[in-house]
Amino acid sequence: MSTTFAGQAILITGASEGIGRALALELARERPRLTLVARNRERLESLAEQCRQLGAEVGTVCADLANEPDCARAVREALARFGSLDILVNNAGITMW
C-alpha cells in the first residue's frame, strides 16, 4: 500500500539545504501543502519555487529556530496559511564541524 501526502499540511524545518531540502523536493511531487522553514531567505524562496513547479502549494517562514518566538511564529504562520498541521518534520540543526 502506497502512502500519499497529497493535501497534507507539512511543516519542514531546516528546509533550505541538505536533508530538509531533499525531503521537500521529494514530497512536492505528491502535491502536499508545505510550509518550509529556514534561516536563509534566498535559498528558502528558491526551494519554494522548485516545489511549486513540482505541484506543491508552498508557504515559507524565514526563522531561526534557536529562538523560541521564531518557533511559535513558524507554527502560527503554517496554521494561518493552511488551517491545520498534519505533519511536522523537525529537521533543523547544525553540525559540530
Side-chain angles (χ1 to χ4, degrees):
M1 187 158 104
S2 175
T3 302
T4 182
F5 296 98
Q8 297 287 304
I10 304 171
L11 187 152
I12 303 174
T13 68
S16 66
E17 59 186 42
I19 292 170
R21 181 181 186 82
L23 179 61
L25 290 168
E26 191 64 32
L27 287 172
R29 292 165 170 59
E30 295 196 32
R31 307 179 80 76
R33 298 175 298 152
L34 296 174
T35 299
L36 305 175
V37 183
R39 291 177 297 174
N40 186 299
R41 183 172 304 282
E42 185 177 309
R43 285 194 306 240
L44 194 58
E45 294 302 333
S46 172
L47 173 62
E49 185 53 37
Q50 288 178 297
C51 289
R52 288 182 190 107
Q53 290 175 4
L54 291 169
E57 185 178 345
V58 184
T60 62
V61 180
C62 190
D64 181 351
L65 298 181
N67 178 332
E68 190 173 330
D70 276 10
C71 293
R73 181 172 54 83
V75 172
R76 275 194 319 272
E77 289 188 27
L79 290 171
R81 176 178 290 271
F82 297 123
S84 68
L85 183 56
D86 300 305
I87 299 168
L88 169 62
V89 179
N90 217 3
N91 174 68
I94 57 171
T95 65
M96 59 187 266
W97 312 111

